[in-house]
Amino acid sequence: MELTTVWFIIIAFLWTSYFFLEGFDFGVGILLPVLGRDDVERRVVINTIGPLWDGNEVWFIVAGAATFAAFPEWYATLFSGFYLPLLAILIALIIRGVAFEYRGKKDDARWRSRWDKAIFWGSLLPAFLWGVAFSNIVRGVPLDPSHEYAGTLVDLLNPYALLGGLTTTTLFVLHGAVFLALKTSGDIRVQARRVATVAVVAAIAAGGGFLLITQVQHGKPVTWLTVAGAAAGLVLAAVANRRGREGWAFIGTGAAIVLAVATLFTALFPDVMPSTLGSGGLTTQNAASTGYTLKIMTWVAVVFTPIVLIYQGWTYWVFRKRIGTSHIPVAKKPEPVP
């Protein structure tokens, strides 16, 4: 197998891992105003991802860095042509991260309310825009013979891409709801399961339509298997959630996300950014770095990837227990001095 193909698979793995892990983070953030009816419940919701969200975002950084090093032409064209959507994603992620850190710095209801809104929008915008971006990558964008983006922002907001954005949003909301049901106890757990019951219907409708269009227009025979697997994952999630088996429901939503992303990357290969103008498209061959660079990167990945996986797996194991409102200390008001 050529190193260009190996690194296409590695980058696909990195982005898939990012969407699987950050997906429930986004879902939890979007559901914060829905499931957090008071400050204590909102703190429970946030604390479910408190020890995890920054580690999950590392996969985005590594995926971007790997794309830059392995396929610099792809990186340059992607980040120049998709400049505004990617800038919006980065700003949203920054504001969201600041919100997690600063929300509890001041004991004031208005202060926390503002940061809660920042968490909501900082989760919703990336969840939607990532779907728009990757849908356009698979669909193809107008590229001139020198691989420069020749379209406008409006070209990126086509119906197929908007459906892709709706798909990632509904999938992440479902993933987040199931994660909350898995990680919480009491009333929040019950409400999260109810939200998941509704979200799975939306995810099946949006995701089913999107993957079917993707398969018909861009798919390969093998991607019928990944499409069917994604559908089976959503069915498993729906059945398991109804029976109160949150662990199996989380496996189902995770499998649906993984196989949906696998469908996109498999349909894309060997292209990395097709052109709708008939020329200027990028492939794993004309967008790749030198063979020497890819060889060094391969050895680095072989050494450090297992370390990252072990460390993150240990983190999830340490913070595996459920939490509820009883775990949140409530500050007592000082008694008036006589």
Side-chain angles (χ1 to χ4, degrees), residues 92-337:
L93 292 177
I94 291 170
I95 293 175
R96 176 172 167 266
V98 172
F100 282 133
E101 298 296 333
Y102 277 79
R103 182 187 185 277
K105 297 295 184 182
K106 188 176 180 181
D107 188 13
D108 180 76
R110 291 184 178 179
W111 170 271
R112 291 177 175 174
S113 176
R114 293 190 186 104
W115 289 121
D116 289 343
K117 292 176 182 177
I119 293 172
F120 171 78
W121 289 107
S123 301
L124 179 61
L125 287 177
F128 179 76
L129 291 177
W130 277 129
V132 172
F134 274 84
S135 300
N136 276 298
I137 292 173
V138 174
R139 174 181 177 269
V141 293
L143 300 178
D144 63 24
S146 60
H147 311 312
E148 295 290 337
Y149 181 69
T152 64
L153 178 62
V154 177
D155 294 324
L156 300 178
L157 302 177
N158 55 80
Y160 174 73
L162 294 176
L163 180 59
L166 183 61
T167 296
T168 52
T169 303
T170 54
L171 279 175
F172 292 165
V173 169
L174 172 62
H175 201 36
V178 171
F179 177 78
L180 283 171
L182 180 64
K183 285 288 293 178
T184 59
S185 58
D187 191 52
I188 298 178
R189 177 187 180 188
V190 175
Q191 295 299 325
R193 285 177 54 192
R194 290 176 181 172
V195 170
T197 302
V198 177
V200 73
V201 177
I204 290 173
F210 175 72
L211 289 179
L212 184 59
I213 294 173
T214 301
Q215 178 61 33
V216 171
Q217 295 184 350
H218 311 286
K220 299 177 175 67
V222 68
T223 50
W224 279 114
L225 296 177
T226 55
V227 170
L234 291 177
V235 172
L236 171 61
V239 174
N241 178 68
R242 189 175 183 84
R243 295 182 178 180
R245 304 293 297 274
E246 291 97 347
W248 282 105
F250 188 74
I251 291 173
T253 57
I257 291 173
V258 167
L259 292 171
V261 178
T263 300
L264 297 182
F265 275 99
T266 305
L268 182 63
F269 183 81
D271 294 322
V272 293
M273 185 166 282
S275 174
T276 57
L277 300 180
S279 63
L282 291 170
T283 67
T284 54
Q285 296 298 322
N286 65 10
S289 293
T290 63
Y292 182 69
T293 301
L294 295 178
K295 190 176 296 184
I296 293 176
M297 290 175 61
T298 302
W299 282 111
V300 171
V302 168
V303 173
F304 287 101
T305 302
I307 297 175
V308 174
L309 291 173
I310 291 171
Y311 174 76
Q312 192 156 28
W314 174 80
T315 303
Y316 275 80
W317 175 256
V318 169
F319 296 101
R320 67 189 182 278
K321 294 183 179 180
R322 294 180 183 269
I323 62 173
T325 55
S326 61
H327 298 93
I328 304 298
V330 180
K332 295 182 179 179
K333 294 182 180 181
E335 296 182 1
V337 179

Side-chain angles (χ1 to χ4, degrees), residues 41-100:
E41 290 189 349
R42 286 190 288 271
R43 288 172 64 185
V44 171
V45 171
I46 292 173
N47 285 355
T48 60
I49 59 173
L52 309 173
W53 69 268
D54 48 355
N56 295 342
E57 282 193 356
V58 170
W59 290 91
F60 165 48
I61 299 171
V62 176
T67 304
F68 170 75
F71 299 101
E73 285 285 344
W74 184 14
Y75 181 93
T77 301
L78 176 65
F79 277 79
S80 60
F82 292 31
Y83 178 78
L84 288 177
L86 292 176
L87 178 62
I89 289 173
L90 289 174
I91 292 175
L93 292 177
I94 291 170
I95 293 175
R96 176 172 167 266
V98 172
F100 282 133

